[in-house]
């Protein structure tokens, strides 16, 4: 069983019934709806189509809505692009409207820009492809000198080297998309460009107001978010999970520094009992090639070895020529990396105190799994998915079956590393009948076999979340 989960972005190349069905069969665990592209009705159609296909195929998949956020961008340029040359002067003007200006004078959709920069600052456009040095600021105009040559297109993002350009966590568009997320009962909502925990808390409050029950994923993509360990930890703890969003973050802190931060973020997310997605350009060459490069294979494998819960595909599946082949290649890479003995054991939290009975039972189960000979699987009877989440923070190489009577819980655990959701109508059994019924259900599905030793966790108060207090060692 592949333990690392795959997040695939849906777009024009992949939203047909045939392709979505093939993607589910190829191993997609979470589908990402990118609210930066497409109308709300398109996202509704995609969400309903995915839910229907997953039900037909007998699979559980999660839906993640990724809010656009306050990305700082150029306005629409004259003729949709300009030719930029090295040493050329380019004026960034917050007063210019879409389509106005010329090759040396363009609009910016970020009014605070003149107050946020000063002479000598470096601005990075289009994910760092263009580098501008600020020479002076006059009113609402920022005069820069280009250090790059190429064709600069409309709507490209702007970053400041080292960070320092920030905006409110949710835009007016995001607040409308939050209502769509609530309507569609999305499992996860990703918050773009948070500067710290306060942005996540604000976003969560707006989600709650809209009636959205989704877990919150914070996209770590600003230099401010990783400025110091306390800020990063607070951001992680404010979320239900994080995304290592390597595009904008790499631009702001430099790709060379990003390597260590990726490893740190994966480690801290696991230590703080949060899920973590590693994203951006993981198999980018497969947008136009049927095979990944060896470097891309090693990039995905490295994230798996670091302990990421999931690896994510963006344009590869949204707009690429080979969406299904890309998922298959990524799945194969994950399985290959998971064969490394080094990631089948871990000492996570073994030297620390636990804060709840639920966590103590989950950690006890994983300790037993790693030290009792012959254990074949772990079974967590769960209402909310919290116990299998805690279990998944420790590596064992064994499958964790999250058995729940709630479809929403089954969908949510699709993102947890090493956890497989199993839906079962648990409410129709008495407490005395439930445990043998669950084991029999898993045996009938071929997930465990007669004679297997399994670890089983549950709570005395069946049907109540957060009450796991029992670990049993059972023979099937």
């Amino acid at each position: 069983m592949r333990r690392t989960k795959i997040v695939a972005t849906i777009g024009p190349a992949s939203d047909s019934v045939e392709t979505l069905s093939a993607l589910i069969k190829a191993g997609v665990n979470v589908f990402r709806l990118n609210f930066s592209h497409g109308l709300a009705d398109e996202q509704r159609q995609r969400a309903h189509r995915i839910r229907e296909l997953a039900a037909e195929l007998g699979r559980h998949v999660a839906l993640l809505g990724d809010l656009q956020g306050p990305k700082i961008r150029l306005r629409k340029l004259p003729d949709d692009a300009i030719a930029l040359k090295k040493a050329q002067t380019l004026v960034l003007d917050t007063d210019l409207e879409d389509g106005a200006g010329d090759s040396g004078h363009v609009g910016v959709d970020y009014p605070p820009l003149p107050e946020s920069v000063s002479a000598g600052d470096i601005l990075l456009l289009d994910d760092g492809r263009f580098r501008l040095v600020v020479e002076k600021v006059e009113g609402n105009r920022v005069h820069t000198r280009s250090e790059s040559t190429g064709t600069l297109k409309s709507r490209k993002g702007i970053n400041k080297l080292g960070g320092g350009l920030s905006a409110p966590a949710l835009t007016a568009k995001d607040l409308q998309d939050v209502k769509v997320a609530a309507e569609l009962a999305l499992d996860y909502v990703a918050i773009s460009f948070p500067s710290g925990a306060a942005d996540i808390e604000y976003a969560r409050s707006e989600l709650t107001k809209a009636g959205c029950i989704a877990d919150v994923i914070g996209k770590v993509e600003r230099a401010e978010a990783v400025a110091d360990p306390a800020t990063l930890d607070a951001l992680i703890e404010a979320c239900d999970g994080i995304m290592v969003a390597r595009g904008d973050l790499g631009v702001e802190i430099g790709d060379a520094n990003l390597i260590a931060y990726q490893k740190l973020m994966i480690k801290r997310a696991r230590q703080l009992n949060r899920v973590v997605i590693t994203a951006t350009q993981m198999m980018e060459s497969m947008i136009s090639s049927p095979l990944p490069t060896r470097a891309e294979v090693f990039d995905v494998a490295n994230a798996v070895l670091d302990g990421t819960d999931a690896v994510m595909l963006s344009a590869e599946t949204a707009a690429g020529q080979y969406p299904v082949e890309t998922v298959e290649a990524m799945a194969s890479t994950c399985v290959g990396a998971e064969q490394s003995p080094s990631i089948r054991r871990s000492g996570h939290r073994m030297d620390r105190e636990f804060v709840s009975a639920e966590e103590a039972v989950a950690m006890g189960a994983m300790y037993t799994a790693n030290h009792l000979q012959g254990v074949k699987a772990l079974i967590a009877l769960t209402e909310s998915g919290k116990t299998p989440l805690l279990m998944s923070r420790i590596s064992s190489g064994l499958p964790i079956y999250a058995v729940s009577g709630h479809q929403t819980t089954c969908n949510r655990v699709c993102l947890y590393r090493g956890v497989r959701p199993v839906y079962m109508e648990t409410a129709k059994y008495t407490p005395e009948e439930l445990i043998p019924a669950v084991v029999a259900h898993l045996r009938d599905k071929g997930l465990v076999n007669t004679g297997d030793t399994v670890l089983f966790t549950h709570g005395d108060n069946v049907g109540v979340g957060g009450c796991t207090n029992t670990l049993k060692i059972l023979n099937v």
Side-chain angles (χ1 to χ4, degrees):
M1 183 181 88
R2 172 171 47 84
R3 303 178 64 76
T4 309
K5 304 307 179 74
I6 295 175
V7 181
T9 305
I10 297 306
S14 53
D15 60 2
S16 69
V17 170
E18 295 76 17
T19 304
L20 285 173
S21 179
L23 288 171
I24 294 172
K25 292 176 183 177
V28 173
N29 305 103
V30 181
F31 284 99
R32 172 178 174 247
L33 306 176
N34 187 358
F35 283 98
S36 295
H37 303 287
L39 301 174
D41 280 345
E42 290 179 284
Q43 308 296 9
R44 289 187 181 94
Q45 292 169 11
R46 288 167 177 164
H48 292 315
R49 195 173 295 145
I50 291 167
R51 292 285 196 221
E52 290 170 0
L53 286 170
E56 290 174 10
L57 294 170
R59 304 283 185 93
H60 291 286
V61 296
L63 291 179
L64 182 154
D66 194 337
L67 301 181
Q68 178 174 296
K71 189 170 179 72
I72 298 160
R73 300 178 184 272
L74 295 171
R75 290 194 179 275
K76 188 179 187 314
L77 303 180
D79 299 322
D80 215 31
I82 61 169
L84 198 60
K85 296 180 180 179
K86 189 173 182 179
Q88 173 189 331
T89 297
L90 182 66
V91 178
L92 307 178
D93 192 338
T94 61
D95 287 336
L96 283 187
E97 297 298 322
D98 280 347
D102 53 44
S103 61
H105 186 192
V106 299
V108 177
D109 188 15
Y110 182 61
L113 181 65
E115 292 81 42
S116 305
V117 299
S118 56
D121 285 343
I122 305 296
L123 296 179
L124 302 158
L125 279 59
D126 193 8
D127 285 339
R129 292 180 178 88
F130 295 89
R131 183 182 174 105
L132 307 178
V133 180
V134 177
E135 295 191 319
K136 62 180 179 179
V137 178
E138 290 182 342
N140 290 332
R141 297 183 177 186
V142 177
H143 296 257
T144 72
R145 184 182 72 259
S146 173
E147 294 187 343
S148 310
T149 298
T151 301
L152 179 62
K153 297 182 180 179
S154 298
R155 311 291 187 192
K156 294 301 180 182
I158 303 173
N159 297 86
K160 178 181 172 183
L161 186 64
L165 301 183
S166 60
L170 298 181
T171 65
K173 178 186 183 321
D174 294 331
L175 293 173
Q176 291 303 312
D177 289 337
V178 162
K179 296 176 182 178
V180 178
E183 173 196 333
L184 297 176
L186 299 186
D187 304 293
Y188 293 94
V189 170
I191 309 303
S192 297
F193 304 103
S195 296
D199 285 343
I200 298 296
E201 290 161 0
Y202 166 67
R204 194 185 290 277
S205 70
E206 293 299 320
L207 287 165
T208 301
K209 287 179 188 175
C212 185
I213 61 171
D215 279 359
V216 175
I217 302 293
K219 296 169 66 178
V220 185
E221 48 193 341
R222 277 185 170 158
E224 294 91 330
V226 296
D228 58 77
T231 299
L232 177 60
D233 278 4
L235 173 62
I236 294 172
E237 290 186 298
C239 305
D240 299 296
I242 63 167
M243 182 188 295
V244 184
R246 304 184 302 180
D248 283 278
L249 184 61
V251 170
E252 292 204 357
I253 68 173
D255 288 339
N257 295 318
L258 181 62
I259 301 165
Y261 275 106
Q262 172 175 314
K263 292 180 178 293
L264 172 65
M265 284 187 278
I266 293 173
K267 180 180 178 180
R268 290 304 291 153
R270 292 183 65 81
Q271 288 175 337
L272 295 170
N273 296 327
R274 302 300 192 268
V275 292
V276 53
I277 303 167
T278 305
T280 315
Q281 296 179 327
M282 302 214 77
M283 287 193 162
E284 179 124 323
S285 72
M286 290 195 73
I287 293 172
S288 57
S289 169
L291 293 173
T293 66
R294 190 164 287 115
E296 289 168 340
V297 169
F298 273 70
D299 181 36
V300 172
N302 180 60
V304 172
L305 293 171
D306 285 342
T308 191
D309 285 272
V311 284
M312 192 176 99
L313 298 165
S314 298
E316 299 97 328
T317 51
Q321 298 175 33
Y322 304 97
V324 178
E325 291 86 347
T326 305
V327 171
E328 291 171 344
M330 182 168 266
S332 176
T333 300
C334 291
V335 171
E338 289 166 5
Q339 304 313 303
S340 172
S342 66
I343 65 170
R344 290 176 173 264
R345 295 287 187 273
S346 68
H348 168 65
R349 294 188 67 83
M350 285 303 166
D351 59 346
R352 297 174 61 186
E353 293 182 347
F354 307 134
V355 298
S356 67
E358 185 176 27
E359 186 175 17
V361 170
M363 297 300 99
M366 298 311 296
Y367 185 88
T368 305
N370 282 336
H371 291 83
L372 178 63
Q373 291 185 357
V375 176
K376 299 297 183 183
L378 297 103
I379 304 169
L381 185 60
T382 183
E383 292 291 316
S384 66
K386 182 65 179 295
T387 300
L389 170 64
L390 294 169
M391 288 179 173
S392 69
R393 301 307 85 188
I394 288 188
S395 300
S396 71
L398 298 174
I400 300 168
Y401 296 115
V403 180
S404 181
H406 305 290
Q407 292 285 2
T408 53
T409 298
C410 289
N411 293 340
R412 187 179 298 115
V413 305
C414 286
L415 187 55
Y416 303 169
R417 181 171 173 137
V419 177
R420 177 169 173 174
V422 179
Y423 177 76
M424 181 177 172
E425 294 183 20
T426 54
K428 68 180 184 180
Y429 297 94
T430 66
E432 294 75 21
E433 296 170 334
L434 187 54
I435 294 175
V438 168
V439 175
H441 183 65
L442 292 175
R443 183 194 60 211
D444 293 344
K445 292 174 73 69
L447 301 178
V448 297
N449 299 308
T450 299
D452 283 352
T453 298
V454 299
L455 306 180
F456 194 109
T457 64
H458 67 94
D460 288 338
N461 296 324
V462 176
V464 179
C467 292
T468 296
N469 62 359
T470 305
L471 166 62
K472 295 178 186 282
I473 304 173
L474 305 174
N475 288 315
V476 178

